[in-house]
Amino acid sequence: MIQVAVLGYGTVGSGVVEVIEKNKEEINKKSGEELNIKYILDLRDFPGDPYEDKVVHDVNRILDDPQVQIVCETMGGLRPAYDFTKRALLAGKSVCTSNKELVAAHGPELIRIAHENKCNYLFEASVGGGIPIIRPLNYSLTAEKIDAITGILNGTTNYILSKMEKEGADFADVLAKAQEKGYAEKNPEADVEGHDACRKIAILSCLMSGKNVRAENIYTEGITGITATDFIYARAMGKTIKLLGKSVNGEDGFYAMVAPFLISREHPLYMVNGVFNAVCVHGNMLGDSMYYGRGAGKLPTASAVVSDVVDCARHIGKVIMCFWDDQEVALADMERMRRRFFVRVDAKREREAIAAFGSVSVVEADVSGEFAFVTNEMSEKEFNEKAEAAGIISRIRIEE
Ligand code: HSE
């Protein structure tokens, strides 16, 4: 029997316990041994909960128990999750986590410590919730040189943008309703400002490069500036607006960014709506492959954590390879990235805009007092210089 401990009995932690209980037959068969939840660490007590007698408040009960071989870290945040994870790994206990903040900040160090101690640090649930994406990158696409990853990596913002598109509503109204219904956090900053998607594309960029890409070095723009009027133009162009995390490993360097993009109906991510996430991976031999599913929520996320538990159970005393070392990737200067831009200017500045941008494709939509257009392909640097001369209202990048 393999003894498991769960750190944090919140949404994901209680989901892990539920998945292990509900699917115990399948899970035990696939693990090759029976799994047993021996401890649940939480500050709170849970009177009446079927697992109430497993709840402990002192992490040392778990770390000092040699019977515990696998720990699920579902606490979230950097502290104390970092210290508990490190101590568990140093004690030779594998750790499975949903904590993207910790993985993005300390991934290579924790993987190294795990391997030095003949155990594993697995993090399938840290990106895309229940969608298998970490394991495909680590195991299935090993024959590929991955040149690009593009993903809808945040359910909250995708829900908000989908609603804005469908209802013609403004950002603030949709956010308020999403908060009322519990779809968006009371403090939605990490989601709407793109920080959550940034951590996730950082993790994917690390697995793509095998080196370390720091989240704080990734250009990140959220969706707070997107308006109902932007969606009127998007519809007129046969496009929609999505918050994308992108990494490109091209001839001129490694780029990574998070920002809202206009995407066309033909784009594989166009149909990804509501809280769903999807990740498109481009390999140099395979071409495109796409991974789609529930990117958040109790049971989908817990299912991914438990899939890691099964993997750890199958590899007790053995290291599961993960190519992510701590050498930093020098990110290419994002000002050199080339693309087309959708631009809105005050109607009175049409001549200045044309003088600055040259030939443009005018976008006709039912919006008065504005001149809107799509630029030719240019670098971000060129765009910023021209935009300053033209005095633009807003711009959205176009994903081709
Ligand atoms: N806040 C995240 C989201 C949860 O909205 O996608 C899953 O990481």
Side-chain angles (χ1 to χ4, degrees):
M1 190 179 281
I2 294 176
Q3 302 294 348
V4 178
V6 177
L7 310 186
Y9 202 36
T11 307
V12 181
S14 60
V16 166
V17 173
E18 191 175 330
V19 170
I20 291 180
E21 174 56 32
K22 272 210 176 125
N23 286 350
K24 66 175 164 234
E25 237 175 77
E26 289 83 354
I27 290 168
N28 290 342
K29 206 188 303 165
K30 289 169 191 164
S31 299
E33 239 186 287
E34 195 179 327
L35 302 181
N36 178 56
I37 306 230
K38 186 163 184 189
Y39 302 105
I40 296 167
L41 179 78
D42 206 285
L43 292 170
R44 301 161 291 179
D45 284 311
F46 296 87
D49 186 282
Y51 289 83
E52 108 181 87
D53 58 329
K54 314 257 181 188
V55 175
V56 295
H57 305 304
D58 178 3
V59 74
N60 294 315
R61 291 273 304 279
I62 296 166
L63 300 176
D64 293 342
D65 184 340
Q67 283 190 339
V68 174
Q69 290 180 294
I70 302 173
V71 171
C72 300
E73 187 271 292
T74 50
M75 310 174 75
L78 290 180
R79 303 270 169 182
Y82 173 65
D83 307 288
F84 292 177
T85 299
K86 210 164 160 176
R87 288 178 59 200
L89 296 171
L90 285 166
K93 302 176 195 308
S94 287
V95 177
C96 308
T97 188
S98 55
N99 188 340
K100 58 225 156 180
E101 197 179 345
L102 183 58
V103 176
H106 295 288
E109 182 199 4
L110 295 171
I111 291 166
R112 180 180 46 75
I113 294 172
H115 293 182
E116 283 168 3
N117 289 279
K118 296 253 173 321
C119 58
N120 291 291
Y121 182 57
L122 301 187
F123 44 91
E124 182 59 73
S126 66
V127 181
I131 309 173
I133 180 61
I134 304 296
R135 209 165 275 113
L137 287 173
N138 270 342
Y139 292 169
S140 317
L141 300 175
T142 44
E144 294 293 316
K145 176 186 172 292
I146 310 287
D147 8 81
I149 295 182
T150 307
I152 292 175
L153 300 168
N154 181 268
T156 306
T157 46
N158 204 44
Y159 172 85
I160 293 172
L161 292 173
S162 303
K163 278 264 174 201
M164 285 174 75
E165 180 187 44
K166 206 165 154 213
E167 295 173 1
D170 251 318
F171 169 78
D173 297 333
V174 177
L175 173 63
K177 274 196 197 137
Q179 284 173 310
E180 253 169 52
K181 289 185 175 161
Y183 295 153
E185 303 275 351
K186 286 210 177 70
N187 179 0
E189 192 186 331
D191 293 313
V192 300
E193 298 293 357
H195 305 312
D196 177 77
C198 171
R199 288 179 192 127
K200 293 167 178 169
I201 197 66
I203 295 169
L204 297 180
S205 303
C206 295
L207 298 179
M208 179 172 158
S209 63
K211 299 193 177 106
N212 203 27
V213 177
R214 291 195 163 276
E216 56 268 33
N217 295 337
I218 295 178
Y219 174 85
T220 301
E221 198 179 299
I223 62 163
T224 51
I226 301 296
T227 63
T229 310
D230 290 322
F231 275 101
I232 295 176
Y233 285 114
R235 194 167 303 121
M237 289 184 274
K239 295 181 189 288
T240 191
I241 303 165
K242 296 288 187 195
L243 183 72
L244 300 183
K246 285 179 70 63
S247 282
V248 180
N249 193 5
E251 278 169 13
D252 49 351
F254 196 108
Y255 295 99
M257 71 185 298
V258 172
F261 279 82
L262 277 156
I263 65 172
S264 67
R265 286 198 185 104
E266 293 71 41
H267 195 287
L269 296 174
Y270 183 88
M271 291 305 290
V272 179
N273 286 314
V275 294
F276 280 84
N277 284 193
V279 188
C280 290
V281 179
H282 189 273
N284 66 338
M285 298 292 125
L286 170 68
D288 284 319
S289 58
M290 181 158 144
Y291 308 83
Y292 169 85
R294 291 190 182 274
K298 176 176 170 167
L299 294 178
T301 309
S303 170
V305 175
V306 177
S307 77
D308 282 344
V309 173
V310 172
D311 219 357
C312 288
R314 287 172 173 177
H315 293 91
I316 296 284
K318 292 189 206 125
V319 163
I320 300 169
M321 288 311 291
C322 173
F323 296 96
W324 177 359
D325 67 43
D326 49 17
Q327 191 191 332
E328 299 281 326
V329 174
L331 289 178
D333 182 358
M334 111 128 202
E335 293 243 297
R336 285 167 44 202
M337 280 183 102
R338 294 181 68 79
R339 65 179 87 257
R340 296 187 303 146
F341 297 82
F342 164 69
V343 183
R344 290 166 54 197
V345 297
D346 191 296
K348 292 190 205 98
R349 303 196 71 165
E350 177 177 338
R351 285 173 62 167
E352 283 153 273
I354 290 175
F357 284 96
S359 77
V360 294
S361 308
V362 176
V363 179
E364 302 285 358
D366 199 9
V367 179
S368 61
E370 290 189 7
F371 175 61
F373 58 91
V374 173
T375 68
N376 288 327
E377 192 182 288
M378 62 185 65
S379 69
E380 294 265 348
K381 184 171 192 288
E382 278 172 84
F383 175 82
N384 291 337
E385 287 161 5
K386 291 176 198 294
E388 203 174 323
I392 66 169
I393 297 173
S394 71
R395 62 96 179 85
I396 305 177
R397 297 172 176 89
I398 296 186
E399 169 76 353
E400 304 294 349

